[in-house]
Amino acid sequence: MANPANPLQEESGEPQRERRPRVLKGGAIITGIQNSEVGCTLRNQHEGGAELKIPLEARVPDQFLLYVPLDGIAYRCEVRWRRNDRIGVQFTGTEPKPKLHYG
């Protein structure tokens, strides 16, 4: 049955996907292996996570620290999905700016 307020939207019984505001921010994935970093771009971000664009050849572990200089925060992340040069992450906490990061 269609929603009277929005006749094009059908009720599917499935929860709606959380709205994810688009952003274009630089970030650094800190893997913890000798504090190595992988540069990335945040494509969208919300309170609970983000979508990251990474180099195709990058090896990113399932859990890592994501430092976003524009935010001045490091997010502890857990990978939820991977597709080509994109990964979706869930934020599991925050930390102050890493001491070894120049940004």
Side-chain angles (χ1 to χ4, degrees):
M1 181 166 140
N3 182 343
N6 185 356
L8 298 178
Q9 183 180 11
E10 301 256 339
E11 287 186 34
S12 64
E14 295 180 18
Q16 293 251 341
R17 183 177 157 181
E18 185 175 343
R19 179 169 155 40
R20 297 182 178 179
R22 290 184 182 175
V23 298
L24 189 57
K25 297 180 184 178
I29 296 169
I30 302 170
T31 63
I33 303 167
Q34 300 174 346
N35 288 322
S36 65
E37 293 185 18
V38 174
C40 67
T41 304
L42 281 78
R43 302 293 298 172
N44 66 50
Q45 181 180 8
H46 57 95
E47 186 177 304
E51 178 183 336
L52 311 177
K53 182 174 181 183
I54 59 171
L56 279 172
E57 68 278 2
R59 293 186 180 260
V60 177
D62 290 336
Q63 295 179 343
F64 58 87
L65 197 61
L66 172 67
Y67 177 59
V68 182
L70 194 60
D71 295 351
I73 296 174
Y75 301 94
R76 285 191 303 270
C77 296
E78 185 175 301
V79 175
R80 305 304 292 168
W81 56 265
R82 298 174 190 261
R83 286 187 205 106
N84 300 319
D85 65 343
R86 309 278 172 120
I87 59 174
V89 298
Q90 177 180 358
F91 298 148
T92 59
T94 60
E95 294 184 14
K97 176 182 179 253
K99 293 177 183 172
L100 299 174
H101 195 279
Y102 301 113

